[in-house]
Amino acid sequence: NAGVTQTPKFRILKIGQSMTLQCTQDMNHNYMYWYRQDPGMGLKLIYYSVGAGITDKGEVPNGYNVSRSTTEDFPLRLELAAPSQTSVYFCASSEHALAGDNRDTQYFGPGTRLTVL
Amino acid sequence: DAKTTQPTSMDCAEGRAANLPCNHSTISGNEYVYWYRQIHSQGPQYIIHGLKNNETNEMASLIITEDRKSSTLILPHATLRDTAVYYCILRGSGNTPLVFGKGTRLSVIA
């Protein structure tokens, strides 16, 4: 049981380039999330999904796109990379999302460190 | 706007209890208190959560004051591996997101 896996671990992009950050979970979780974490700050929610085919915006969605064609995968697409997108990106999943339900624990991947120059 | 207030950093001697405070004076009746931690360069890890009652699990204890305006996370016997940033988060009932603040950087010292 690998949990949540993310690829790549590191990436350097030039301004204007595009890329896809991959996220896969093997826990059959319905809910998946993308966060970004800037240096010295907490995590900010970019997008989330409540199941295959359903996605919704979080706090900082601009400059990103997501899709959820399967339960396992939740890729994050960066179009026209900008220096402001230099950050560490974390993917997470949970079985449920209702606060107080013990099944709402979010399990995080190891992160992708992205630098845009 | 931050809904919780935590000290920026704390030190704790190895083997002693680490007590991490969190103020949430504007907490609503349906909001839970969650704690996650983030060890350097890793993704956050769930620790514990509670609504009104004190809670304990294999990782930690959570003490919530009777008026629910503050809480304390207790790591009973801190080890060097507990060095991390600890986040205190409020979540309303229903499908509400986790909102991370800056947390408390706990350093466990040998």
mmCIF file of all heavy atoms in Angstrom, chain A residues 1 5-6 8 17 28 33 38 40 44-45 56 58 62-63 71-72 75 81 87 96 98 101-103 116:
data_model
loop_
_atom_site.group_PDB
_atom_site.id
_atom_site.type_symbol
_atom_site.label_atom_id
_atom_site.label_comp_id
_atom_site.label_asym_id
_atom_site.label_seq_id
_atom_site.Cartn_x
_atom_site.Cartn_y
_atom_site.Cartn_z
ATOM 1 N N ASN A 1 0.847 -1.186 0.000
ATOM 2 C CA ASN A 1 0.000 0.000 0.000
ATOM 3 C C ASN A 1 0.886 1.240 0.000
ATOM 4 O O ASN A 1 1.455 1.599 1.018
ATOM 5 C CB ASN A 1 -0.900 -0.019 1.238
ATOM 6 C CG ASN A 1 -2.047 0.955 1.100
ATOM 7 O OD1 ASN A 1 -2.021 1.846 0.263
ATOM 8 N ND2 ASN A 1 -3.064 0.803 1.926
ATOM 9 N N THR A 5 1.270 8.926 -3.966
ATOM 10 C CA THR A 5 2.549 9.123 -4.630
ATOM 11 C C THR A 5 2.465 10.310 -5.579
ATOM 12 O O THR A 5 1.427 10.562 -6.183
ATOM 13 C CB THR A 5 2.987 7.875 -5.410
ATOM 14 O OG1 THR A 5 1.962 7.540 -6.353
ATOM 15 C CG2 THR A 5 3.203 6.694 -4.476
ATOM 16 N N GLN A 6 3.583 11.032 -5.679
ATOM 17 C CA GLN A 6 3.654 12.211 -6.542
ATOM 18 C C GLN A 6 4.912 12.156 -7.395
ATOM 19 O O GLN A 6 5.967 11.744 -6.920
ATOM 20 C CB GLN A 6 3.704 13.497 -5.701
ATOM 21 C CG GLN A 6 2.460 13.785 -4.921
ATOM 22 C CD GLN A 6 2.556 15.111 -4.171
ATOM 23 O OE1 GLN A 6 2.436 15.159 -2.954
ATOM 24 N NE2 GLN A 6 2.779 16.193 -4.908
ATOM 25 N N PRO A 8 6.903 14.634 -10.665
ATOM 26 C CA PRO A 8 8.260 14.324 -10.215
ATOM 27 C C PRO A 8 8.505 14.847 -8.802
ATOM 28 O O PRO A 8 7.655 15.518 -8.225
ATOM 29 C CB PRO A 8 9.114 15.098 -11.222
ATOM 30 C CG PRO A 8 8.283 16.311 -11.546
ATOM 31 C CD PRO A 8 6.853 15.823 -11.539
ATOM 32 N N GLN A 17 6.564 27.909 -19.806
ATOM 33 C CA GLN A 17 6.438 26.483 -20.080
ATOM 34 C C GLN A 17 5.237 25.907 -19.334
ATOM 35 O O GLN A 17 4.696 26.520 -18.399
ATOM 36 C CB GLN A 17 7.715 25.744 -19.646
ATOM 37 C CG GLN A 17 8.886 25.975 -20.563
ATOM 38 C CD GLN A 17 10.090 25.124 -20.188
ATOM 39 O OE1 GLN A 17 10.406 24.950 -19.011
ATOM 40 N NE2 GLN A 17 10.766 24.593 -21.199
ATOM 41 N N ASN A 28 -8.263 3.907 -2.620
ATOM 42 C CA ASN A 28 -9.638 3.980 -3.090
ATOM 43 C C ASN A 28 -10.404 5.133 -2.443
ATOM 44 O O ASN A 28 -11.607 5.017 -2.152
ATOM 45 C CB ASN A 28 -10.378 2.651 -2.853
ATOM 46 C CG ASN A 28 -11.591 2.515 -3.757
ATOM 47 O OD1 ASN A 28 -11.619 2.998 -4.879
ATOM 48 N ND2 ASN A 28 -12.623 1.864 -3.241
ATOM 49 N N TYR A 33 -6.969 16.224 -3.174
ATOM 50 C CA TYR A 33 -6.711 17.656 -2.991
ATOM 51 C C TYR A 33 -5.332 18.003 -3.541
ATOM 52 O O TYR A 33 -4.413 17.183 -3.491
ATOM 53 C CB TYR A 33 -6.712 18.013 -1.499
ATOM 54 C CG TYR A 33 -7.856 17.445 -0.702
ATOM 55 C CD1 TYR A 33 -7.808 16.143 -0.205
ATOM 56 C CD2 TYR A 33 -8.986 18.214 -0.424
ATOM 57 C CE1 TYR A 33 -8.854 15.619 0.531
ATOM 58 C CE2 TYR A 33 -10.035 17.697 0.316
ATOM 59 C CZ TYR A 33 -9.958 16.395 0.788
ATOM 60 O OH TYR A 33 -10.998 15.876 1.512
ATOM 61 N N ASP A 38 4.297 27.816 0.047
ATOM 62 C CA ASP A 38 5.396 28.740 -0.185
ATOM 63 C C ASP A 38 6.303 28.749 1.043
ATOM 64 O O ASP A 38 5.861 28.401 2.144
ATOM 65 C CB ASP A 38 4.845 30.132 -0.479
ATOM 66 C CG ASP A 38 3.989 30.145 -1.738
ATOM 67 O OD1 ASP A 38 4.217 29.310 -2.626
ATOM 68 O OD2 ASP A 38 3.065 30.984 -1.823
ATOM 69 N N GLY A 40 8.068 29.042 4.374
ATOM 70 C CA GLY A 40 7.700 29.589 5.675
ATOM 71 C C GLY A 40 6.214 29.782 5.894
ATOM 72 O O GLY A 40 5.815 30.373 6.909
ATOM 73 N N LYS A 44 -1.859 26.074 1.102
ATOM 74 C CA LYS A 44 -3.058 26.695 0.539
ATOM 75 C C LYS A 44 -3.686 25.739 -0.469
ATOM 76 O O LYS A 44 -3.000 25.171 -1.311
ATOM 77 C CB LYS A 44 -2.726 28.019 -0.135
ATOM 78 C CG LYS A 44 -2.299 29.124 0.835
ATOM 79 C CD LYS A 44 -2.064 30.414 0.112
ATOM 80 C CE LYS A 44 -1.532 31.492 1.044
ATOM 81 N NZ LYS A 44 -2.573 32.065 1.885
ATOM 82 N N LEU A 45 -5.007 25.600 -0.396
ATOM 83 C CA LEU A 45 -5.731 24.668 -1.257
ATOM 84 C C LEU A 45 -5.897 25.258 -2.647
ATOM 85 O O LEU A 45 -6.405 26.372 -2.813
ATOM 86 C CB LEU A 45 -7.095 24.363 -0.645
ATOM 87 C CG LEU A 45 -7.965 23.348 -1.370
ATOM 88 C CD1 LEU A 45 -7.310 21.969 -1.342
ATOM 89 C CD2 LEU A 45 -9.345 23.282 -0.720
ATOM 90 N N ASP A 56 -13.398 20.990 -8.056
ATOM 91 C CA ASP A 56 -13.839 22.307 -7.634
ATOM 92 C C ASP A 56 -12.629 23.131 -7.198
ATOM 93 O O ASP A 56 -11.591 22.584 -6.812
ATOM 94 C CB ASP A 56 -14.847 22.218 -6.493
ATOM 95 C CG ASP A 56 -15.836 23.377 -6.534
ATOM 96 O OD1 ASP A 56 -15.561 24.396 -7.210
ATOM 97 O OD2 ASP A 56 -16.882 23.276 -5.882
ATOM 98 N N GLY A 58 -10.267 25.680 -5.063
ATOM 99 C CA GLY A 58 -9.960 26.004 -3.687
ATOM 100 C C GLY A 58 -9.663 27.475 -3.536
ATOM 101 O O GLY A 58 -10.242 28.296 -4.236
ATOM 102 N N ASN A 62 -6.017 30.084 -9.594
ATOM 103 C CA ASN A 62 -5.605 30.753 -10.827
ATOM 104 C C ASN A 62 -4.259 30.247 -11.322
ATOM 105 O O ASN A 62 -3.292 30.173 -10.577
ATOM 106 C CB ASN A 62 -5.551 32.269 -10.613
ATOM 107 C CG ASN A 62 -6.926 32.863 -10.407
ATOM 108 O OD1 ASN A 62 -7.933 32.234 -10.740
ATOM 109 N ND2 ASN A 62 -6.979 34.054 -9.853
ATOM 110 N N GLY A 63 -4.202 29.921 -12.616
ATOM 111 C CA GLY A 63 -2.971 29.442 -13.233
ATOM 112 C C GLY A 63 -2.858 27.930 -13.236
ATOM 113 O O GLY A 63 -1.847 27.400 -13.724
ATOM 114 N N THR A 71 -10.629 7.277 -10.095
ATOM 115 C CA THR A 71 -10.558 7.469 -8.647
ATOM 116 C C THR A 71 -9.116 7.653 -8.187
ATOM 117 O O THR A 71 -8.843 8.415 -7.272
ATOM 118 C CB THR A 71 -11.173 6.264 -7.928
ATOM 119 O OG1 THR A 71 -12.534 6.142 -8.317
ATOM 120 C CG2 THR A 71 -11.095 6.409 -6.411
ATOM 121 N N GLU A 72 -8.184 6.967 -8.848
ATOM 122 C CA GLU A 72 -6.810 6.923 -8.365
ATOM 123 C C GLU A 72 -5.998 8.173 -8.690
ATOM 124 O O GLU A 72 -5.087 8.542 -7.960
ATOM 125 C CB GLU A 72 -6.079 5.722 -8.966
ATOM 126 C CG GLU A 72 -6.638 4.372 -8.561
ATOM 127 C CD GLU A 72 -7.907 4.006 -9.302
ATOM 128 O OE1 GLU A 72 -8.177 4.565 -10.383
ATOM 129 O OE2 GLU A 72 -8.649 3.142 -8.767
ATOM 130 N N PRO A 75 -4.236 14.627 -11.601
ATOM 131 C CA PRO A 75 -3.129 15.449 -12.085
ATOM 132 C C PRO A 75 -3.418 16.945 -12.005
ATOM 133 O O PRO A 75 -4.562 17.383 -12.174
ATOM 134 C CB PRO A 75 -2.972 14.995 -13.543
ATOM 135 C CG PRO A 75 -4.332 14.477 -13.916
ATOM 136 C CD PRO A 75 -4.926 13.904 -12.673
ATOM 137 N N ALA A 81 3.784 28.728 -17.055
ATOM 138 C CA ALA A 81 4.369 28.855 -15.722
ATOM 139 C C ALA A 81 4.929 30.256 -15.472
ATOM 140 O O ALA A 81 5.527 30.877 -16.361
ATOM 141 C CB ALA A 81 5.469 27.822 -15.543
ATOM 142 N N SER A 87 7.054 26.869 -5.815
ATOM 143 C CA SER A 87 6.456 26.431 -4.567
ATOM 144 C C SER A 87 6.676 24.924 -4.422
ATOM 145 O O SER A 87 7.207 24.267 -5.308
ATOM 146 C CB SER A 87 4.953 26.745 -4.577
ATOM 147 O OG SER A 87 4.387 26.572 -3.298
ATOM 148 N N HIS A 96 -13.384 10.290 3.277
ATOM 149 C CA HIS A 96 -14.547 11.171 3.323
ATOM 150 C C HIS A 96 -14.058 12.571 3.627
ATOM 151 O O HIS A 96 -12.857 12.812 3.788
ATOM 152 C CB HIS A 96 -15.525 10.690 4.402
ATOM 153 C CG HIS A 96 -16.287 9.470 4.014
ATOM 154 N ND1 HIS A 96 -17.448 9.507 3.289
ATOM 155 C CD2 HIS A 96 -16.037 8.162 4.240
ATOM 156 C CE1 HIS A 96 -17.882 8.276 3.094
ATOM 157 N NE2 HIS A 96 -17.048 7.443 3.661
ATOM 158 N N LEU A 98 -16.250 14.806 5.742
ATOM 159 C CA LEU A 98 -17.086 15.422 6.757
ATOM 160 C C LEU A 98 -16.281 15.600 8.029
ATOM 161 O O LEU A 98 -15.753 14.639 8.581
ATOM 162 C CB LEU A 98 -18.310 14.555 7.034
ATOM 163 C CG LEU A 98 -19.302 14.437 5.881
ATOM 164 C CD1 LEU A 98 -20.439 13.509 6.269
ATOM 165 C CD2 LEU A 98 -19.845 15.812 5.503
ATOM 166 N N ASP A 101 -15.757 13.120 11.262
ATOM 167 C CA ASP A 101 -15.771 11.711 10.864
ATOM 168 C C ASP A 101 -14.326 11.234 10.816
ATOM 169 O O ASP A 101 -13.505 11.831 10.119
ATOM 170 C CB ASP A 101 -16.436 11.609 9.490
ATOM 171 C CG ASP A 101 -16.605 10.174 9.023
ATOM 172 O OD1 ASP A 101 -15.766 9.323 9.370
ATOM 173 O OD2 ASP A 101 -17.573 9.915 8.308
ATOM 174 N N ASN A 102 -13.999 10.162 11.496
ATOM 175 C CA ASN A 102 -12.603 9.724 11.521
ATOM 176 C C ASN A 102 -12.086 9.330 10.148
ATOM 177 O O ASN A 102 -10.877 9.189 9.959
ATOM 178 C CB ASN A 102 -12.439 8.559 12.497
ATOM 179 C CG ASN A 102 -12.560 9.007 13.943
ATOM 180 O OD1 ASN A 102 -12.265 10.157 14.259
ATOM 181 N ND2 ASN A 102 -12.984 8.118 14.812
ATOM 182 N N ARG A 103 -12.997 9.178 9.191
ATOM 183 C CA ARG A 103 -12.552 8.836 7.849
ATOM 184 C C ARG A 103 -12.199 10.073 7.028
ATOM 185 O O ARG A 103 -11.950 9.966 5.828
ATOM 186 C CB ARG A 103 -13.636 8.019 7.149
ATOM 187 C CG ARG A 103 -13.866 6.654 7.790
ATOM 188 C CD ARG A 103 -15.086 5.976 7.216
ATOM 189 N NE ARG A 103 -16.301 6.716 7.524
ATOM 190 C CZ ARG A 103 -17.509 6.410 7.083
ATOM 191 N NH1 ARG A 103 -17.659 5.383 6.267
ATOM 192 N NH2 ARG A 103 -18.575 7.129 7.414
ATOM 193 N N VAL A 116 10.300 27.979 -10.962
ATOM 194 C CA VAL A 116 10.067 28.607 -12.266
ATOM 195 C C VAL A 116 11.036 29.778 -12.403
ATOM 196 O O VAL A 116 11.021 30.709 -11.587
ATOM 197 C CB VAL A 116 8.624 29.097 -12.400
ATOM 198 C CG1 VAL A 116 8.411 29.718 -13.792
ATOM 199 C CG2 VAL A 116 7.645 27.960 -12.170
#
